[in-house]
Amino acid sequence: MTNTGKLWGGRFEQPTDAFVEAFTASVNFDKRLAPYDIQGSIAHARMLSKIGVLTQEECQAIIGGLEQIAGEIEREEFPWSIALEDVHMNIEARLTALIGEAGKKLHTARSRNDQVATDIRLYLRDQIGDILGELKRLQMALLDLAEAEADTIMPGFTHLQVAQPVTFGHHMHAWFEMLMRDYDRLQECRRRVNVMPLGAAALAGTPFPIDRFYTAQLLGFERPAANSLDAVSDRDFAIEFCSAAALLMTHLSRFSEELVIWTSAQFDFIQLPDAFCTGSSIMPQKKNPDVPELVRGKAGRVNGHVMALLTLMKAQPLAYNKDNQEDKEPLFDTVDTLKDCLRAFADMMPHVQPKRERMKEAARQGFATATDLADYLVRKGVPFRDAHEIVGKAVQLALAEHCDLADLSLAQLHALCPAIGDDVYRVLTLEGSVAARNHYGGTAPQQVREAVQAARARCGGG
Ligand code: ARG
């Protein structure tokens, strides 16, 4: 090593200021990239050996050393050092300590700039895979609920006011559809993550006759990045991932909001499992929906990470800048937060108990079939605007009598509009209302069942 003790210390005379050393180090957080750094280094060594820059013996020694290091890290025996700045130099220094001269050759034809960009992409590709798995688990739970509750009537809301009856199954399927778009977005994003920067070296490429297609193939990348400057510089893939994550968290947050509302005594539409709630230290009667509340809250930090990454990138000239070291913590936290929230939801949803009677009662109280009455009048030849007015009067009457529209007598209804006959009661029932919306995308139980079938076929859930 050099007189400053750094891998890059050759041109330096004075040691790094102790504060600056800690300030510029990233090892405390980028050490989680270690398995990917090792994976990348093994592929790089294989490629160097293929093109004759490393002998087979050197290559084998390097791979053996790296595998040993992977074990040390897993067993938490690895001597991480802040002085070695980041995960890359920690591993490289350890490799040389373990295997000697050959270790010093590993960094031929690469730079930490292409190395770190490759590590992050390998990491993120893996994580997106995990996230898609959890997301799918949640989606399947929603489809199960949608199917089981295809006939369960609840009030549908606009403006959080009772609007028209829908089924709980239809409502669950709505969440499934939102999450399906998130799924597609993450899959799309993974395609763009899966491009290999390695070989860009510091920024311009390398004079060695490297075979980037071979390395890319070894690492399972779709292809090597087509421009070395772009490859080491941009973090748009991380921004794109965090944006998709923010949108997904926004969906989970809205969903959480509904669960919170539904568990309140005023709604009382569902019961959350005890295992996903906590009590109050002072109010013995309380059962708080902490898990959905926390998920709703965590959406905020992911939004913050998107903003942090966009701001990190916005004024950077090509190519690599040290600013980019700041990409990791927001990205890691986004991944961790998203995985936790998806896991919580996927674990919780199968145990949510819909309170069918309560939901139906709420639909009954809100004049949810008023539109059905108006549509009925239209079918009897009354223009829609007049029908709207007549039904408004019927609602006024029911309000005054503290009853539902279906409780008004035929004489009362007839007085409002002579076109009303005794067949009106069929459309005033909640069941009749939902069953009538029997078209693709509608809330009729039959449609919900078909939508669930189609969804299962689409995402291969059996
Ligand atoms: N720790 C650095 C990062 O995360 C690795 C790349 C450093 N490259 C450099 N030229 N200083 O970005």
Side-chain angles (χ1 to χ4, degrees):
M1 244 182 232
T2 59
N3 53 358
T4 60
K6 302 290 185 194
L7 293 188
W8 39 252
R11 60 100 70 216
F12 286 79
E13 283 169 9
Q14 294 169 353
T16 317
D17 177 88
F19 168 73
V20 170
E21 185 170 275
F23 182 65
T24 54
S26 54
V27 65
N28 284 339
F29 49 84
D30 68 16
K31 62 176 156 196
R32 80 152 84 181
L33 293 174
Y36 305 99
D37 196 69
I38 289 171
Q39 192 188 348
S41 287
I42 290 176
H44 181 65
R46 289 217 160 97
M47 185 278 292
L48 289 180
S49 151
K50 178 173 181 267
I51 63 168
V53 166
L54 292 176
T55 65
Q56 285 209 355
E57 294 68 43
E58 286 167 335
C59 177
Q60 282 317 311
I62 286 172
I63 293 173
L66 288 171
E67 281 168 353
Q68 181 174 339
I69 290 171
E72 290 176 355
I73 292 171
E74 220 179 287
R75 295 189 300 275
E76 293 181 24
E77 290 165 13
F78 188 86
W80 294 108
S81 154
I82 292 258
L84 287 166
E85 198 175 317
D86 56 26
V87 62
H88 324 291
M89 290 196 289
N90 267 268
I91 291 176
E92 192 190 325
R94 179 73 184 146
L95 180 67
T96 300
L98 286 173
I99 68 165
E101 287 302 299
K104 295 188 196 165
K105 296 189 177 179
L106 172 63
H107 210 54
T108 312
R110 79 172 182 191
S111 150
R112 278 183 295 153
N113 297 352
D114 58 342
Q115 191 178 352
V116 70
T118 301
D119 291 3
I120 304 170
R121 284 171 182 267
L122 286 170
Y123 158 82
L124 191 54
R125 184 180 74 184
D126 235 27
Q127 299 301 316
I128 292 175
D130 290 356
I131 287 165
L132 289 175
E134 285 298 87
L135 181 51
K136 190 162 180 173
R137 200 158 69 83
L138 168 57
Q139 288 183 281
M140 290 303 147
L142 292 177
L143 288 185
D144 289 345
L145 260 177
E147 189 167 46
E149 307 298 332
D151 295 292
T152 304
I153 286 170
M154 70 181 286
F157 297 91
T158 59
H159 314 270
L160 202 57
Q161 311 291 317
V162 172
Q164 293 172 353
V166 295
T167 64
F168 190 74
H170 194 53
H171 201 116
M172 290 300 108
H173 177 246
W175 285 116
F176 169 88
E177 286 294 319
M178 284 181 240
L179 297 181
M180 195 69 233
R181 291 193 292 279
D182 292 313
Y183 194 96
D184 291 344
R185 261 188 289 276
L186 285 167
Q187 267 191 327
E188 272 289 302
C189 170
R190 185 168 59 177
R191 269 190 43 231
R192 279 180 285 277
V193 167
N194 200 22
V195 173
M196 187 190 74
L198 207 59
L203 75 165
T206 167
F208 294 95
I210 57 175
D211 184 348
R212 299 184 67 214
F213 290 89
Y214 178 67
T215 319
Q217 189 196 328
L218 289 179
L219 291 171
F221 281 113
E222 198 178 297
R223 60 184 171 84
N227 181 291
S228 63
L229 294 168
D230 175 38
V232 294
S233 134
D234 209 358
R235 295 293 183 266
D236 60 350
F237 67 93
I239 299 174
E240 186 181 346
F241 167 77
C242 289
S243 307
L247 211 37
L248 172 44
M249 285 299 298
T250 299
H251 286 155
L252 292 183
S253 176
R254 296 186 66 190
F255 198 175
S256 296
E257 173 72 3
E258 294 205 322
L259 297 181
V260 170
I261 291 175
W262 291 348
T263 52
S264 74
Q266 288 66 31
F267 274 75
D268 196 25
F269 282 5
I270 58 164
Q271 193 175 328
L272 287 181
D274 281 0
F276 289 82
C277 297
T278 64
S280 157
S281 57
I282 176 169
M283 296 168 283
Q285 85 283 14
K286 296 272 280 182
K287 175 175 159 184
N288 296 325
D290 290 45
V291 168
E293 289 174 89
L294 203 49
V295 170
R296 189 176 59 188
K298 282 180 187 291
R301 65 199 277 167
V302 174
N303 287 348
H305 294 328
V306 178
M307 201 46 66
L309 289 178
L310 282 168
T311 312
L312 174 68
M313 205 75 242
K314 75 175 272 291
Q316 281 194 48
L318 291 178
Y320 176 86
N321 300 282
K322 182 76 166 179
D323 314 42
N324 278 348
Q325 184 164 293
E326 286 288 306
D327 63 355
K328 287 170 203 63
E329 287 162 294
L331 178 63
F332 294 163
D333 190 66
T334 299
V335 166
D336 293 344
T337 303
L338 189 55
K339 277 167 95 171
D340 285 352
C341 293
L342 284 171
R343 181 195 164 159
F345 256 79
D347 286 349
M348 176 175 69
M349 288 317 291
H351 305 289
V352 166
Q353 281 175 22
K355 297 189 167 178
R356 296 178 184 146
E357 266 317 304
R358 283 285 317 156
M359 287 194 262
K360 193 165 178 183
E361 192 46 41
R364 242 183 240 122
Q365 281 165 7
F367 305 112
T369 55
T371 318
D372 296 272
L373 179 55
D375 290 340
Y376 166 87
L377 292 175
V378 169
R379 286 196 298 276
K380 297 277 174 187
V382 181
F384 184 78
R385 262 310 139 225
D386 295 340
H388 192 286
E389 169 93 20
I390 292 163
V391 177
K393 294 265 184 308
V395 168
Q396 249 181 9
L397 186 59
L399 273 173
E401 307 227 329
H402 300 289
C403 70
D404 185 31
L405 289 175
D407 301 324
L408 295 173
S409 70
L410 186 57
Q412 283 173 309
L413 290 168
H414 206 92
L416 290 170
C417 176
I420 298 180
D422 60 1
D423 57 346
V424 71
Y425 291 102
R426 258 189 292 140
V427 306
L428 288 181
T429 65
L430 298 167
E431 286 78 5
S433 172
V434 294
R437 283 155 174 82
N438 193 18
H439 53 76
Y440 180 80
T443 197
Q446 188 194 335
Q447 292 297 331
V448 172
R449 288 194 184 89
E450 282 172 24
V452 169
Q453 291 308 313
R456 287 220 171 96
R458 189 156 129 224
C459 50

